Amino acid sequence: MHGLAETASGAVGYVFPNDLHVHWSLMIVLYPYITGIVAGAFIVSSLYHVFHVKALRPIARFSLLFALAFLACATLPLLNHLGHPERALNMMLTPSPSSAMAGFGYIYSAYAVVLLLEILFIYRPTLVRLAQTSTGWRRSLYGVLSLGSDNLSDEALALDRKIIAFLAGIGIPMACVLHGYVGFIFGGVKANPLWATPLMPVIFLLSACVSGIAGIILAYMVIKRGEVDMTCIRTCLKYLWGFFILDFVFEMLEVFSHAYMATHHWETLHTLLWGPLFNSYWVGQVLIFSVVPFFLLGVLSLVRLDDGMVRFLAPLVSLMILIQVLLMRWNVVIGGQLMSKSERGAVFFHPEWFEKEGIVPAIVIMVLPLVILYVLGKIFPFWLPAEEKRG
Amino acid sequence: MDARLRREIEEEIRRDRRAFIKKVLGGALAGSLLLVIPAGALEVPEQLPGLRGQKGDFITGHKYAFVVDITRCIGCGSCCVADKNEYQVPDGYYRTWVERYIIDDLDNVYVDSPNGGLDGYQKPRTDIKGKVRDTFFVPKLCNMCEHPSCVQVCPVGATFQTRDGFVLIDYKRCVGCAYCIQACPYSVRFLNPKTKTADKCTWCYHRVRRGLLPACVNVCPVQARKFGDLADKNSEVYKLLHEPHVISVLKPDMGNKPSLHYLGLRREVV
Amino acid sequence: MQPSGFRAKHNTHVLRVLIVLVVLGVAGGLARALLLPSSFGKYGHYRADAVREEMRRPLRNMTNESCLACHPNIKKIHLAGVHRTVSCEVCHSAYADHIAEGKVVAKMPVRRGEEIRTLCLRCHNRIIRARPKESIKMIAMPDHLEQKGVRTDHLCNQCHHVHAPLKWIREARAAMGLPERPQTAAEGGVSWMRD
């Protein structure tokens, strides 16, 4: 219980003595989960801001704040995981050019800047107006957030529009880099046959989009209750289905190619997938939380269901997708470590509730973005009044 | 041998033992009264010639290699004991360990390494299905790769390859992210719960720089672990690597190019 | 030149953002220069001083020579027997637990009783089949004791001197006027041990 690596709860076959420890546990499951939600939410907003999918207008601003709330917490699981969190800035100080992990500090920071600026520029007209109508500390706060400028002339707004287009434009590749790169952190580990595949960044990216869209749908419907824009929801569901088809197909393709090629790695993977990972992978990730939402989304996208049905199914299917992605992260991150590099055995792992990296800290870290989102909602109005002119 | 003769021999042995114990006790008492070690006794003879004079940051003029002869290893675990003593490795973590392989006529391979071989192998395996075809022990330690994955993935430059070919850890910069542990194909790395950093076998760099053999090599009673200078044509490792032996490295397809060589390595060994 | 009643110019906020970004970048660069360890990058992407730190790691195990330098009686026996390649520190714990700064700081543990049997069987246990046959003498317990006609609760060191296992056997044979038994490879140590 030294809170560094957790020890496996059992083993089958021969496991290298040092492989009895699971070094990357719940925190490293959450890290790609959170950055995935960030990247996915950003892409939802970009669908409106860059690709002009008009139906998504009601959630375009909210998605950015949603992304920001999760982005603010993306480093927490990492810091909690590190043996020496006080040395975390070494990543920025001496990033190794050969390390797949070293870029995180800079990519994360750059993306945070882009996201923050995009929010400030998009919200500027609103913030200027709020600065003028509020008093006291709120007035000063809005003054700072509107960058000390009250200029809402056509010339200024035209400049803002250019900047927003630029930020949203570079934001898409950056969101992809942020998360595809997280996939590469795993995909580039040649010593681990479950991780080492060029498909890994692709799967991570697609599942990121899926979790982001699902997160937005769920949050939007929970916050707005009866007042949701049904066209927006239906459009989101179609995108969700599209991304999820790709995501699920690639996930299956990866396992299928391993099984078909049947190199010596397959024996190890087989031991894993039909051993310690059977329930969380086949039963959880694949059967319940992929196949079921896959068909539900198909029905939602292809059949014209009435609004009541959509109102009932959309949050349900979104929640299932969110669980699917969490399970996928679990199965990749934890699963990869359950196979010993001895190629002759695997370990079992069950998280503890009160470990440093246990279930309770994980819940706290997942609730925190929602708290931040609530606070952000007090400052930045999530929803557009119907008559407000878009910048 | 008849019973009378045997009794006489036993009596003789007993007498000798008593005399011996008296002598030893005398020596031990004298030693403890003295308390201070005579000058010069601490000057340990060099085991690796020509290193004590080298004061630079790296070793020059020598190229060290490690050879493990698995046809000699008896699985006594002395190396593991010495290693744990040298580094006070926390329980459950292993800088080096010894595996036992048993192969039966049905081609089943049985491998185990209870407590990394630290306590030796006191019990036989009882679950062997066929007739035993071959059995052997395989000591494991850092492979000191020419292309080390751990160095490649370390995000902060806290694990590195020295110019003399050793892969070491900077315990003051390591953030403890464990990426190197994931990347090492040989699972020789672990997160040390005391230092909260990555840790692994260094081939006893601190001993080598003082002209001493790595602790495990020094204690091996059957010379199954060999450490020597490839620049010295008279060294055992030079000769071994230049003779027609079956010599291989672990997981060669990883492309890490280990400088840890195994003599008599069987294909079953991973 | 403000056509409308705004206090700020149309691009004031953009310039402010740019200034903040530049200031942050410069501050980051300065902080990096200040915090970078001096020897970092001297030889590669690492702190060169770390090599010296590893070099200076204190020794805990020494060599048999260092132990035997102060224990001449044991030295005489240990080096004469087939156990001469067995390390002192494996059975008796590391040198540093015994000597610090040239002074005896603690007594070394001496193995007794059942510990002796466990220690001997680490190497000599025949039932652990994974051992080279020609290398060292192998025995099975309690067969060996039965064969030799002694009680099966006998400890190994009742017949074998732990530092030189054949010492007493040979001395007893000599005392009895028995001829020296021809050594097997395993008893005398195989060729590489005699070198």
Side-chain angles (χ1 to χ4, degrees):
Chain A
M1 286 272 204
H2 48 72
L4 260 185
E6 278 148 62
T7 306
S9 52
V12 285
Y14 172 61
V15 173
F16 281 150
N18 287 326
D19 284 347
L20 283 165
H21 307 282
V22 176
H23 293 95
W24 286 358
S25 57
L26 270 178
M27 291 301 126
I28 309 299
V29 172
L30 290 191
Y31 155 60
Y33 191 52
I34 293 175
T35 57
I37 290 174
V38 173
F42 186 86
I43 282 166
V44 172
S45 126
S46 297
L47 284 174
Y48 173 75
H49 288 298
V50 182
F51 299 105
H52 307 295
V53 180
K54 293 275 182 279
L56 297 183
R57 188 173 170 223
I59 52 168
R61 302 171 89 180
F62 172 67
S63 321
L64 288 175
L65 293 168
F66 190 79
L68 183 66
F70 278 88
L71 189 78
C73 299
T75 57
L76 291 182
L78 296 177
L79 289 172
N80 184 35
H81 159 72
L82 288 186
H84 282 280
E86 79 282 3
R87 298 179 187 168
L89 282 179
N90 283 4
M91 297 256 185
M92 316 269 297
L93 214 53
T94 56
S96 164
S98 66
S99 169
M101 194 185 269
F104 178 75
Y106 283 97
I107 294 176
Y108 172 85
S109 312
Y111 182 71
V113 168
V114 168
L115 180 62
L116 202 62
L117 287 180
E118 191 178 342
I119 290 173
L120 291 182
F121 275 95
I122 285 176
Y123 268 94
R124 212 173 64 83
T126 313
L127 294 170
V128 169
R129 232 162 278 149
L130 283 164
Q132 285 158 354
T133 53
S134 45
T135 52
W137 65 271
R138 288 185 77 91
R139 191 185 173 86
S140 333
L141 177 69
Y142 285 121
V144 172
L145 289 175
S146 57
L147 306 164
S149 164
D150 61 346
N151 197 317
L152 292 178
S153 63
D154 288 346
E155 200 186 4
L157 291 179
L159 180 63
D160 284 2
R161 263 197 300 279
K162 273 188 204 153
I163 290 170
I164 291 165
F166 171 75
L167 289 173
I170 61 164
I172 298 171
M174 283 182 78
C176 292
V177 166
L178 177 72
H179 200 72
Y181 161 80
V182 172
F184 183 71
I185 288 181
F186 295 93
V189 177
K190 64 181 172 187
N192 191 316
L194 186 76
W195 293 349
T197 158
L199 272 182
M200 200 50 83
V202 181
I203 295 176
F204 264 64
L205 253 182
L206 289 168
S207 59
C209 297
V210 162
S211 67
I213 301 171
I216 294 284
I217 296 176
L218 188 64
Y220 178 44
M221 297 189 80
V222 167
I223 297 172
K224 292 286 270 184
R225 306 274 159 93
E227 302 160 45
V228 288
D229 180 324
M230 288 316 286
T231 324
C232 175
I233 292 293
R234 285 178 198 272
T235 313
C236 278
L237 286 169
K238 281 197 180 114
Y239 277 101
L240 183 57
W241 193 45
F243 278 115
F244 188 60
I245 290 172
L246 291 175
D247 180 32
F248 187 46
V249 163
F250 276 116
E251 281 173 17
M252 290 298 100
L253 195 60
E254 199 227 320
V255 177
F256 177 78
S257 345
H258 268 302
Y260 193 80
M261 294 188 290
T263 63
H264 66 290
H265 291 317
W266 176 241
E267 205 177 324
T268 321
L269 291 175
H270 187 274
T271 314
L272 175 74
L273 294 177
W274 271 268
L277 227 51
F278 186 82
N279 284 329
S280 63
Y281 185 74
W282 290 117
V283 179
Q285 183 188 332
V286 176
L287 193 68
I288 303 177
F289 293 106
S290 288
V291 174
V292 175
F294 186 86
F295 285 108
L296 281 178
L297 281 171
V299 170
L300 280 165
S301 304
L302 300 174
V303 182
R304 182 82 203 171
L305 297 173
D306 63 59
D307 281 1
M309 200 62 181
V310 175
R311 271 179 216 280
F312 171 71
L313 283 179
L316 178 75
V317 84
S318 301
L319 185 65
M320 290 186 87
I321 292 281
L322 281 170
I323 295 171
Q324 192 272 355
V325 176
L326 184 62
L327 281 171
M328 177 264 181
R329 306 288 192 242
W330 169 278
N331 289 327
V332 169
V333 176
I334 306 284
Q337 297 170 83
L338 300 185
M339 307 173 290
S340 173
K341 287 166 189 158
S342 70
E343 298 178 12
R344 287 202 160 84
V347 296
F348 290 85
F349 173 70
H350 301 289
E352 300 281 337
W353 283 90
F354 296 103
E355 279 272 333
K356 183 185 113 185
E357 299 182 48
I359 301 170
V360 172
I363 292 173
V364 170
I365 285 173
M366 283 315 289
V367 168
L368 215 53
L370 304 178
V371 175
I372 293 174
L373 189 63
Y374 175 80
V375 174
L376 281 177
K378 296 281 165 206
I379 301 165
F380 298 89
F382 287 157
W383 321 111
L384 291 163
E387 73 282 1
E388 191 176 330
K389 212 178 84 185
R390 275 294 305 123
Chain B
M1 204 193 288
D2 65 33
R4 193 182 59 87
L5 185 56
R6 194 167 61 217
R7 265 201 309 280
E8 278 171 12
I9 293 176
E10 281 170 14
E11 182 52 36
E12 188 62 37
I13 288 169
R14 224 167 281 137
R15 218 178 300 144
D16 198 280
R17 263 183 64 223
R18 253 178 253 127
F20 171 73
I21 288 163
K22 265 184 210 151
K23 254 193 275 176
V24 171
L25 278 177
L29 282 174
S32 65
L33 287 173
L34 202 61
L35 273 173
V36 178
I37 307 303
L42 291 173
E43 286 292 317
V44 190
E46 243 185 349
Q47 292 174 314
L48 296 162
L51 284 180
R52 292 227 174 127
Q54 297 203 358
K55 301 289 174 222
D57 280 347
F58 304 111
I59 301 168
T60 50
H62 303 272
K63 169 85 185 106
Y64 287 99
F66 205 118
V67 177
V68 172
D69 184 349
I70 65 170
T71 65
R72 274 191 188 169
C73 181
I74 58 170
C76 65
S78 296
C79 44
C80 304
V81 173
D83 186 82
K84 199 175 169 82
N85 279 344
E86 186 73 20
Y87 297 95
Q88 295 172 302
V89 186
D91 288 343
Y93 298 86
Y94 306 88
R95 292 171 75 108
T96 184
W97 68 95
V98 177
E99 294 167 356
R100 167 169 62 181
Y101 275 73
I102 300 172
I103 302 162
D104 71 8
D105 270 346
L106 309 168
D107 279 342
N108 295 311
V109 184
Y110 305 84
V111 192
D112 63 352
S113 185
N115 197 15
L118 185 68
D119 311 317
Y121 286 82
Q122 301 284 343
K123 290 194 183 79
R125 271 190 87 130
T126 51
D127 56 346
I128 316 293
K129 294 193 190 86
K131 192 170 172 292
V132 173
R133 182 205 295 161
D134 194 11
T135 62
F136 50 90
F137 290 102
V138 182
K140 294 276 183 82
L141 63 155
C142 180
N143 282 251
M144 290 297 167
C145 309
E146 210 179 303
H147 305 303
S149 311
C150 51
V151 174
Q152 183 188 20
V153 304
C154 176
V156 298
T159 189
F160 55 93
Q161 192 176 35
T162 62
R163 293 206 170 157
D164 40 26
F166 290 76
V167 177
L168 302 178
I169 294 168
D170 182 345
Y171 301 95
K172 290 186 181 161
R173 283 195 79 67
C174 174
V175 296
C177 69
Y179 200 21
C180 55
I181 298 168
Q182 310 293 357
C184 173
Y186 308 102
S187 287
V188 302
R189 289 179 160 253
F190 55 90
L191 264 184
N192 188 320
K194 278 193 230 153
T195 60
K196 297 191 187 294
T197 62
D199 210 346
K200 72 163 186 76
C201 159
T202 55
W203 284 10
C204 287
Y205 191 70
H206 65 300
R207 293 177 64 89
V208 173
R209 291 302 301 259
R210 290 170 169 108
L212 297 178
L213 286 169
C216 59
V217 178
N218 181 45
V219 301
C220 180
V222 292
Q223 294 179 20
R225 289 178 181 243
K226 300 162 201 299
F227 182 82
D229 184 6
L230 290 180
D232 171 9
K233 292 190 176 173
N234 294 315
S235 72
E236 194 184 3
V237 291
Y238 179 91
K239 286 178 188 158
L240 283 172
L241 292 180
H242 286 79
E243 285 163 8
H245 296 287
V246 176
I247 295 181
S248 189
V249 295
L250 296 171
K251 298 191 180 180
D253 50 329
M254 281 290 155
N256 280 30
K257 290 204 165 182
S259 27
L260 167 66
H261 303 268
Y262 282 89
L263 198 63
L265 191 71
R266 298 209 33 159
R267 64 187 159 83
E268 288 84 358
V269 180
V270 174
Chain C
M1 287 286 281
Q2 290 294 323
S4 52
F6 299 121
R7 273 180 288 127
K9 283 192 209 155
H10 81 281
N11 58 0
T12 307
H13 58 294
V14 181
L15 292 175
R16 284 190 181 150
V17 166
L18 288 176
I19 290 167
V20 169
L21 287 180
V22 169
V23 168
L24 279 178
V26 171
L30 280 175
R32 187 174 184 273
L34 282 173
L35 292 169
L36 203 66
S38 57
S39 72
F40 199 95
K42 191 174 169 193
Y43 301 113
H45 194 79
Y46 61 93
R47 200 169 54 92
D49 289 349
V51 181
R52 295 224 163 255
E53 285 162 21
E54 183 61 45
M55 251 171 89
R56 283 196 282 262
R57 185 194 280 271
L59 292 169
R60 290 194 27 84
N61 286 287
M62 294 300 267
T63 63
N64 277 11
E65 275 101 326
S66 38
C67 301
L68 296 174
C70 295
H71 300 277
N73 293 329
I74 299 287
K75 181 178 180 175
K76 225 178 289 165
I77 301 164
H78 194 80
L79 293 183
V82 291
H83 273 180
R84 62 185 166 275
T85 58
V86 174
S87 160
C88 309
E89 291 162 292
V90 167
C91 298
H92 294 291
S93 166
Y95 183 93
D97 293 336
H98 183 44
I99 310 287
E101 290 161 7
K103 289 197 171 128
V104 177
V105 288
K107 277 195 162 180
M108 288 303 231
V110 176
R111 310 296 181 148
R112 290 202 166 79
E114 206 49 48
E115 278 182 340
I116 291 280
R117 197 199 310 266
T118 311
L119 267 176
C120 296
L121 289 180
R122 276 180 96 114
C123 298
H124 297 284
N125 200 352
R126 173 169 286 154
I127 54 170
I128 309 304
R129 288 181 288 190
R131 287 193 172 133
K133 289 180 188 69
E134 292 308 308
S135 173
I136 57 168
K137 172 87 175 168
M138 288 296 171
I139 54 105
M141 281 296 185
D143 306 16
H144 176 68
L145 296 168
E146 282 161 8
Q147 234 173 28
K148 299 292 174 191
V150 294
R151 287 206 339 247
T152 50
D153 59 355
H154 259 47
L155 291 172
C156 312
N157 63 342
Q158 285 178 272
C159 295
H160 299 285
H161 189 299
V162 290
H163 286 276
L166 298 176
K167 178 179 156 61
W168 291 327
I169 313 271
R170 287 206 188 114
E171 284 173 4
R173 291 185 79 90
M176 300 304 295
L178 291 168
E180 188 101 355
R181 207 156 47 98
Q183 279 180 7
T184 63
E187 281 169 343
V190 277
S191 58
W192 51 263
M193 279 178 84
R194 281 193 295 269
D195 293 342

